[in-house]
């Protein structure tokens, strides 16, 4: 399993290509910074900074005056005098031992004329080239520092990806231990029987209960994470709670929403309000069914299924008959009955349902185990690399 990724920090190093892994990019960025630091140290950090500052000030002057001080006009000559004065003052103030000092003298000579052209400015900039290396050293160190920041971001992103990839490989290895010959129908049959009962029961409940009662049930489901009913829009909920129309069943409200206003006035106080509140929410109202109270296949681990059935029970008691409640209890008992071997059947059901042909092949030849080992090793190396304190 390769730890290379093409979109996470691949270019944060020294530009060696897009095939770097995040770890390689971080190591390359640190090496780049160390090289930049060594080069500066070889010349003396303070001396490099002084020379770089002088170079930037000198080139800044040339850039400021290149347009104003070229030509034969009076204003051009005035600008030239200003430039020469400032440049001469700059050069005169430089220490004799400044690195690249001769370059500043040569640049001053290049503009020591009564009239300047753009070629003179180019010659002055060229004369400063020996001093430019010191500014370049500082620029390279700053670029290397930014490359480290980018590489750390890429490494952190890769760690988050590993947090998803490693559990996925672990899940596959767990499913690899499944007994694919296990009688999963012993688990599937009672779950399917319960699901059929609760779907039918909720459909009947919709036909009999008032919209207000149904909405109260939906409101209660807010506090039960496994009972995943969508909540009604606030304006519709308020209408059902406060208006007499809330005493009608959901099918009746939907039927009335299709009536003409004149016909509807025989059933509700305000035909316009019912149409405004109900007709626009037909999709939501039609979608209230027993699905959120069904048990998914394949089921989750025993502990999760126990919590799910515990949360379902008060809702099943409210909307369904004794048969559905008894079926739900029997499913819960399966998770604690040692003779039933729930874990074995659940793992087998997960494997049969979830494993693709490719995953089974990779499990059979050991690829998944190798991938998991490589991913864990990559995570350990990245964590170690990110523990290193980098220059701020």
């Amino acid at each position: 399993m390769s730890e290379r990724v093409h979109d996470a920090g691949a270019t944060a190093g020294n530009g060696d290509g897009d095939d770097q892994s995040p770890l390689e990019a971080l190591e390359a960025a640190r090496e780049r910074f160390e090289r930049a630091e060594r080069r500066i140290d070889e010349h003396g950090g303070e001396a490099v900074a002084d020379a770089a500052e002088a170079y930037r000030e000198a080139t800044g002057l040339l850039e400021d005056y290149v347009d104003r001080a070229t030509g034969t006009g009076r204003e051009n000559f005035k600008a030239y005098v200003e430039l020469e004065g400032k440049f001469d003052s700059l050069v005169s103030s430089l220490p004799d031992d400044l690195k690249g000092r001769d370059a500043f003298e040569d640049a001053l000579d290049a503009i020591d004329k009564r009239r300047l052209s753009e070629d003179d400015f180019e010659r002055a900039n060229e004369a400063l080239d020996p001093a430019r290396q010191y500014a370049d050293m500082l620029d390279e160190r700053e670029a290397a520092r930014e490359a480290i920041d980018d590489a750390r971001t890429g490494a952190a992103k890769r760690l988050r990806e590993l947090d998803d990839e490693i559990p996925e490989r672990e899940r596959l290895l767990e499913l690899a231990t499944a007994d694919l010959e296990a009688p999963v129908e012993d688990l599937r049959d009672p779950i399917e029987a319960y699901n059929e009962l609760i779907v039918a029961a909720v459909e009947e409940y919709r036909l009999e209960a008032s919209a207000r009662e149904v909405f109260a049930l939906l409101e209660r489901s807010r506090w039960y994470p496994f009972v995943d009913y969508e909540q009604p829009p606030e304006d519709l909920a308020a209408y059902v709670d406060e208006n007499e129309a809330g005493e009608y069943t959901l099918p009746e409200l939907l039927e009335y929403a299709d009536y003409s206003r004149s016909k509807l006035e025989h059933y509700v106080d305000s035909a316009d309000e019912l149409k405004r509140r109900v007709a626009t929410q037909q999709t939501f109202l039609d979608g209230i069914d027993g699905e959120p109270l069904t048990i998914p296949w394949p089921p989750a681990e025993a502990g999760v299924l126990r919590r799910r059935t515990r949360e379902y029970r008060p809702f099943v008691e409210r909307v369904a008959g004794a048969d559905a409640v008894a079926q739900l209890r029997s499913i819960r008992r399966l998770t604690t009955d040692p003779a039933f071997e729930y874990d074995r059947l659940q793992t087998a059901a997960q494997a049969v349902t979830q494993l693709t042909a490719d995953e089974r092949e990779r499990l059979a030849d050991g690829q998944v185990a190798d991938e998991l080992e490589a991913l864990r090793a990559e995570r350990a190396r990245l964590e170690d690399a990110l523990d290193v304190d980098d220059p701020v």
Side-chain angles (χ1 to χ4, degrees), residues 1-2 169-170 172-173 176 357-376:
M1 176 68 181
S2 172
R169 301 311 192 283
E170 292 172 339
L172 290 177
L173 286 178
D358 175 68
E359 288 171 338
R360 293 189 186 193
E361 182 178 344
R362 286 165 52 216
L363 283 167
D365 63 15
Q367 284 187 52
V368 174
D370 292 342
E371 290 170 5
L372 179 59
E373 181 181 359
L375 290 171
R376 285 172 172 169

Side-chain angles (χ1 to χ4, degrees), residues 244-304:
E244 289 184 3
E247 294 298 327
Y248 291 118
T249 66
L250 294 181
E252 286 173 334
L253 284 179
L254 289 169
E255 180 182 353
Y256 294 160
D258 288 334
Y259 284 4
S260 66
R261 282 174 170 76
S262 59
K263 183 177 180 181
L264 188 56
E265 288 175 353
H266 297 290
Y267 298 91
V268 294
D269 293 337
S270 173
D272 287 339
E273 186 175 11
L274 185 141
K275 284 185 170 293
R276 186 167 64 253
R277 302 301 184 194
V278 177
T280 58
Q281 298 297 337
Q282 183 171 348
T283 300
F284 167 76
L285 294 171
D286 281 335
I288 300 174
D289 57 23
E291 183 66 24
L293 292 174
T294 59
I295 296 174
W297 182 264
E301 295 80 4
V304 176

Side-chain angles (χ1 to χ4, degrees), residues 15-26:
D16 289 339
D18 289 343
D19 60 345
Q20 285 183 314
S21 72
L23 180 60
E24 291 169 338
L26 182 54

